[in-house]
Amino acid sequence: PFDVLIVGGGPAGAAAAVYAARKGIRTGVASERFGGQVLDTLGIENFVSVKETEGPKFALALEEHVRHYDVDIMNLQRAKALQADAGLIEVALESGASLKARSVIITTGARWRNINVPGEKEFRNKGVAYCPHCDGPLYKGKRVAVIGGGNSGVEAAIDLAGIVAHVTLVEYDTHLRADEVLQRKLRSLPNVSVILNAQTTAITGDQKVNGLTYKDRAGGEQRRVDLEGVFVQIGLVPNTEWLKGTLELSRHGEIVVDAKGQTSMPGVFAAGDATTVPFKQIIIAAGDGAKAALGAFDHLIRTTAP
Ligand code: FAD
């Protein structure tokens, strides 16, 4: 069995692998797609000490760093279940195989919920964005829309209003669902307008985004807003469906972890976007992965191998 088996090969999993391997313990990484969300990212400018890089390049650097150590990397492997088994933890894979380990670190990440309208896929990274902390500065002085009036949408609109020329917040419902304190802050900003009861029907553009169309749900008319960017903020979904009923999850499906990354099952740790750790960012996921590996090591030295 592995001493530490990491499920997921994004920034959190890669950092956990480096930290575990450097303890001289038997380490494995099973992941569907090594690199994770970073593979879908164009430019990265907020990983401190790396002024700017590209997602695929960053993903390759993650893998190279892990391969520098004696780590068993198992790619194209999707985990489907987890269970405690006679002092070990067993991870069942969709391939039919299963892996055993004395401790497991889950770093299966998350995915942005898509709005699924024409233009969203076509203009991804060409005006369609999901992360204001990442891409906000690219729209300095431009006009953007934020789709979604929950906490993350309203937070994004407030954040972006400080950078861009104008923000249009588009909400499907007849009211915003964000906390009142955020709504009050939003209403105080001079360069934000809010459109309620509006169903986004398309994101339009040529080479890049040039507008958004929506249906006024009260009257039924189609309307259009001219702009240069659209931030979709209708939810981040953790890749934890396979853990329902096994580990304690938050109401958003995030794995509940303590300060050392320990989950509700002894010997099982978790890190990064799949967990309750606030703020989903590369540098945070990587730091969190390192922390969970040290948590797992701490667990191993306090327990005896079965
Ligand atoms: P992920 O990167 O999501 O990795 C999850 C890993 O788990 C993958 O290897 C995946 O294949 C694997 N996996 C999932 N389910 C299973 C399963 N059942 N079995 C086995 N393996 C599984 N952050 C920044 O800091 N700066 C940016 O500029 C930035 N830009 C972004 C742009 C885009 C388009 C996106 C989508 C995200 C961006 N982010 C950015 C966010 C950042 O990518 C994430 O916060 C970070 O990748 C999270 O790392 P993670 O390791 O927790 O999860």
Side-chain angles (χ1 to χ4, degrees):
F2 291 103
D3 289 312
V4 176
L5 172 65
I6 297 150
V7 182
V18 168
Y19 268 74
R22 286 170 60 84
K23 295 294 183 193
I25 55 182
R26 196 162 170 229
T27 305
V29 181
S31 82
E32 218 179 339
R33 206 167 62 121
F34 202 100
Q37 291 170 69
V38 170
L39 288 172
D40 305 323
T41 305
L42 212 56
I44 300 169
E45 302 183 0
N46 56 5
F47 193 88
V48 71
S49 83
V50 182
K51 212 162 49 187
E52 58 182 317
T53 185
E54 281 147 24
K57 202 167 136 192
F58 188 85
L60 199 67
L62 288 177
E63 187 162 352
E64 269 170 14
H65 197 171
V66 174
R67 285 198 188 278
H68 178 67
Y69 295 95
D70 188 14
V71 174
D72 199 344
I73 299 185
M74 296 158 277
N75 280 334
L76 306 174
Q77 295 297 337
R78 193 176 162 86
K80 65 170 184 190
L82 176 87
Q83 67 173 71
D85 178 28
L88 290 174
I89 295 138
E90 184 176 359
V91 175
L93 304 175
E94 300 222 313
S95 66
S98 74
L99 301 168
K100 287 192 179 170
R102 288 181 63 204
S103 70
V104 168
I105 303 175
I106 300 169
T107 62
T108 46
R111 56 191 191 271
W112 295 99
R113 186 170 281 137
N114 293 335
I115 175 125
N116 291 321
V117 296
E120 181 183 32
K121 264 209 192 86
E122 295 83 331
F123 296 114
R124 196 168 189 176
N125 291 329
K126 294 175 195 152
V128 174
Y130 297 84
C131 174
H133 313 303
C134 313
D135 296 342
L138 302 177
Y139 296 90
K140 188 166 183 222
K142 297 185 174 164
R143 298 162 298 177
V144 304
V146 171
I147 301 178
N151 278 343
S152 53
V154 173
E155 282 166 12
I158 294 167
D159 174 356
L160 291 165
I163 304 170
V164 306
H166 188 265
V167 182
T168 305
L169 183 86
V170 182
E171 165 58 42
Y172 181 85
D173 212 338
T174 51
H175 59 278
L176 300 180
R177 284 158 295 122
D179 299 341
E180 185 48 41
V181 55
L182 291 173
Q183 294 195 36
R184 214 175 307 134
K185 173 76 192 180
L186 185 76
R187 285 193 294 267
S188 76
L189 299 172
N191 60 338
V192 176
S193 40
V194 177
I195 305 178
L196 297 173
N197 212 11
Q199 180 185 358
T200 304
T201 46
I203 297 167
T204 62
D206 184 3
Q207 303 284 73
K208 288 180 177 172
V209 166
N210 64 17
L212 168 151
T213 59
Y214 66 92
K215 185 172 101 181
D216 177 344
R217 293 176 65 225
E221 309 89 0
Q222 285 282 343
R223 301 223 164 94
R224 179 182 161 81
V225 187
D226 290 325
L227 42 72
E228 288 76 42
V230 177
F231 284 79
V232 181
Q233 294 288 306
I234 55 173
L236 184 68
V237 191
N239 299 318
T240 57
E241 291 84 355
W242 61 289
L243 297 164
K244 251 175 216 152
T246 311
L247 295 184
E248 184 188 352
L249 304 179
S250 73
R251 65 190 176 91
H252 301 295
E254 301 160 319
I255 304 167
V256 177
V257 288
D258 73 8
K260 287 184 179 173
Q262 168 75 54
T263 70
S264 59
M265 188 189 281
V268 179
F269 294 76
D273 282 17
T275 72
T276 46
V277 168
F279 309 119
K280 315 303 192 199
Q281 293 284 284
I282 298 167
I283 198 163
I284 293 172
D288 211 35
K291 194 156 51 119
L294 296 177
F297 184 69
D298 194 47
H299 167 81
L300 290 173
I301 60 174
R302 285 159 206 275
T303 50
T304 45

